[in-house]
Amino acid sequence: MTTTTIEDLRERVRGAVISPIDPGYDEARTVHNAMIDRFPRAVVRCANAGDAMAAVDFARENQLDLAVRGGGHSVPGFGTCDDGVVLDLSGMRGVRVDPGGRTARAEGGATWGDFNAATHPFGLATTGGIISTTGVGGLTLGGGIGYLARGLGLSCDNLVSADVVTADGQLLRADDRENEDLFWALRGGGGNFGVVTSFEFRLAPVRDIYGGPIFFDLDQADTVLRFFRDFIANAPEELGGFPAFQIAPPLPFIPQNRHGDPLVAIVACWSGPPEEGPHAVQPLRDVAPVVAEHVGPMPYPQLNSAFDALVPPGLQHYWKANFVTELSDEVIEAHLRYGPKVPALNSTMHIYPINGACHRVSPKATAFAYRDANFATVIAGMWPDPADNEANISWVRDYYAATAPHSREGGYINFMAGDDQDRIKSNYGENYERLVEVKRTHDPDNLFHLNQNIQP
């Protein structure tokens, strides 16, 4: 690439094109995971879909790697690359709500914080993630597990349509009537098929929830995990949440003498009638003596952003994940061995329930195949000091190795590490071959390969 071709690109797009010689380059190339330190030739900060089309054309015509960045939270750092083009959607964060039709359209760079801020005034929401700085796009394309999934389904189950820039630089609409195969693949197939510049979601009435975190001593972890396994199987679908291992942060509601202690927790989210919240959540409080809790009525966006401070930009990240059909006694024993060893305040392990509405979607209706799994487990290693990388990566790997024999072969692609590419077929199960066919149709040369890659 020459300076002239960069200038040609600048003339074609409205957003900024940042090269290594430009001010702000280091900021523009930075992603959430500080373990990732890559040097693209150009970062295209898209202002609209036309800019995305131009960036795709530019990368394809110059035979350069193309990284697509939405929220920038990709643990393997798929939102950047060395010596290629970064298509940065972070300037496209608008969200337009149709309260009468109960839909919302989010631009490709919107975060769940942006989305919730737009929909909440109308008392509406859809399934988002757990951290509000997460991108709407990345979460949805990988499936979309969150607090509301048991009642509303995954984020991708609530996707109505998408605008997609494909590898040939064309903008397509994908829904259940137009480009149906592409629409099918986008719902769980990750970033393999194009750049989604706009997502249209179905919304549901959710304004305030009742919930929050409840902490217990580690000697109650066995009781808590076994109880949650049995309780959530038949709990009302309006009840979401998850058990976790977590070092107690220095928060006012946690006794000061417990700050820094590893604890087991349940985070609850009741999205049904608010007056029923205390009764719905009480069994989770009663399972064992409570060390601390911060449970009560709150706006849904407040819970969706409650843990943002634990996941600031600039941490080291290494994660592993599996789907689990049954939270067996054997896998619980593995959690009891490794969960209490959580090595840093930011690190954690979550077990997300994905039964209820998630099970009512056929495994072949979307690319997200594990519709019979009851849980999605993530071992999320996050810590500030690179000097701790070896020890903390070992904790994640050892924990994963202990739980994997008692779990499904595949896992949730949004939780996968960069060294998990060999699991791609397992992650999609019986849907893999159809995904390959869609890939061959829309991206035969694998321009979109910086992802959990489905090779054409």
Side-chain angles (χ1 to χ4, degrees):
M1 190 192 316
T2 67
T3 303
T4 303
T5 60
I6 291 177
E7 290 307 316
D8 288 343
L9 179 61
R10 285 187 170 125
E11 290 179 6
R12 186 175 168 188
V13 303
R14 182 168 181 81
V17 178
I18 303 171
S19 73
I21 62 172
D22 293 321
Y25 174 74
D26 279 337
E27 178 187 355
R29 71 180 183 85
T30 300
V31 291
H32 212 71
N33 182 0
M35 202 179 286
I36 308 300
D37 188 26
R38 295 177 186 150
F39 296 84
R41 286 199 196 181
V43 177
V44 183
R45 286 190 160 159
C46 298
N48 51 47
D51 286 2
M53 295 163 67
V56 167
D57 285 343
F58 186 76
R60 185 190 65 253
E61 291 164 3
N62 288 279
Q63 298 183 327
L64 295 170
D65 281 344
L66 176 64
V68 181
R69 182 191 304 165
H73 276 228
S74 165
V75 170
F78 291 140
T80 188
C81 60
D82 282 320
D83 204 31
V85 177
V86 172
L87 192 162
D88 185 354
L89 296 167
S90 63
M92 297 174 59
R93 296 175 61 170
V95 180
R96 181 183 181 278
V97 181
D98 175 1
R102 288 188 177 177
T103 61
R105 182 171 288 279
E107 290 186 305
T111 67
W112 285 105
D114 299 326
F115 190 91
N116 294 335
T119 61
H120 182 71
F122 301 102
L124 299 170
T126 199
T127 303
I130 304 300
I131 303 296
S132 76
T133 55
T134 303
V136 169
L139 189 91
T140 302
L141 294 175
I145 294 171
Y147 289 112
L148 305 179
R150 293 187 70 244
L152 302 183
L154 305 172
S155 302
C156 72
D157 298 335
N158 292 281
L159 188 65
V160 177
S161 71
D163 293 339
V164 191
V165 179
T166 48
D168 58 2
Q170 300 301 303
L171 182 68
L172 302 181
R173 176 182 171 90
D175 58 25
D176 59 5
R177 299 175 303 279
E178 188 175 358
N179 297 301
E180 299 95 329
D181 275 356
L182 179 59
F183 185 54
W184 174 85
L186 292 173
R187 289 174 290 164
N192 278 281
F193 307 98
V195 183
V196 181
T197 59
S198 179
F199 297 81
E200 183 185 9
F201 291 95
R202 180 172 50 252
L203 304 176
V206 178
R207 183 186 296 273
D208 295 332
I209 61 92
Y210 185 91
I214 309 166
F215 289 93
F216 309 92
D217 275 311
L218 283 179
D219 61 8
Q220 300 297 321
D222 184 47
T223 299
V224 169
L225 293 182
R226 292 175 193 273
F227 171 81
F228 189 85
R229 171 190 65 189
D230 298 335
F231 176 73
I232 205 67
N234 297 302
E237 292 181 0
E238 297 93 337
L239 184 64
F242 54 90
F245 286 102
Q246 178 72 53
I247 292 176
L251 296 173
F253 70 90
I254 299 174
Q256 190 169 2
N257 66 336
R258 303 308 305 269
H259 292 178
D261 288 352
L263 300 171
V264 65
I266 295 177
V267 181
C269 175
W270 170 259
S271 59
E275 66 275 11
E276 297 177 15
H279 176 75
V281 171
Q282 192 60 42
L284 303 177
R285 287 174 160 142
D286 292 341
V287 63
V290 173
V291 171
E293 67 167 67
H294 188 63
V295 175
M298 66 184 79
Y300 168 69
Q302 183 177 329
L303 182 62
N304 196 234
S305 61
F307 303 107
D308 288 5
L310 290 173
V311 194
L315 297 178
Q316 310 288 305
H317 287 252
Y318 185 80
W319 298 18
K320 290 287 185 184
N322 271 107
F323 290 118
V324 180
T325 301
E326 298 298 340
L327 201 60
S328 66
D329 291 347
E330 290 80 9
V331 78
I332 286 175
E333 288 300 321
H335 284 295
L336 297 177
R337 286 199 305 275
Y338 288 95
K341 299 176 183 177
V342 58
L345 175 65
N346 313 91
S347 293
T348 191
M349 187 288 305
H350 294 172
I351 303 174
Y352 298 108
I354 50 171
N355 57 347
C358 302
H359 280 187
R360 289 196 291 276
V361 178
S362 164
K364 294 189 176 182
T366 69
F368 188 97
Y370 282 80
R371 297 294 181 166
D372 59 340
N374 287 307
F375 302 97
T377 300
V378 61
I379 305 156
M382 299 175 283
W383 59 95
D385 191 347
D388 297 328
N389 284 11
E390 183 176 354
N392 291 357
I393 289 172
S394 292
W395 173 73
V396 175
R397 286 177 172 165
D398 291 347
Y399 199 157
Y400 171 75
T403 56
H406 312 292
S407 306
R408 300 290 289 274
E409 190 176 1
Y412 180 41
I413 65 164
N414 286 345
F415 293 157
M416 292 284 155
D419 56 8
D420 280 322
Q421 184 61 44
D422 61 343
R423 300 177 63 195
I424 191 71
K425 291 184 179 179
S426 299
N427 295 339
Y428 290 112
E430 294 183 359
N431 289 336
Y432 182 75
E433 292 304 325
R434 183 178 175 189
L435 285 164
V436 170
E437 289 303 314
V438 179
K439 181 75 168 177
R440 288 172 180 163
T441 299
H442 293 284
D443 186 16
D445 297 320
N446 207 12
L447 178 65
F448 300 108
H449 64 272
L450 295 180
N451 44 52
Q452 297 294 341
N453 191 230
I454 298 164
Q455 296 186 14

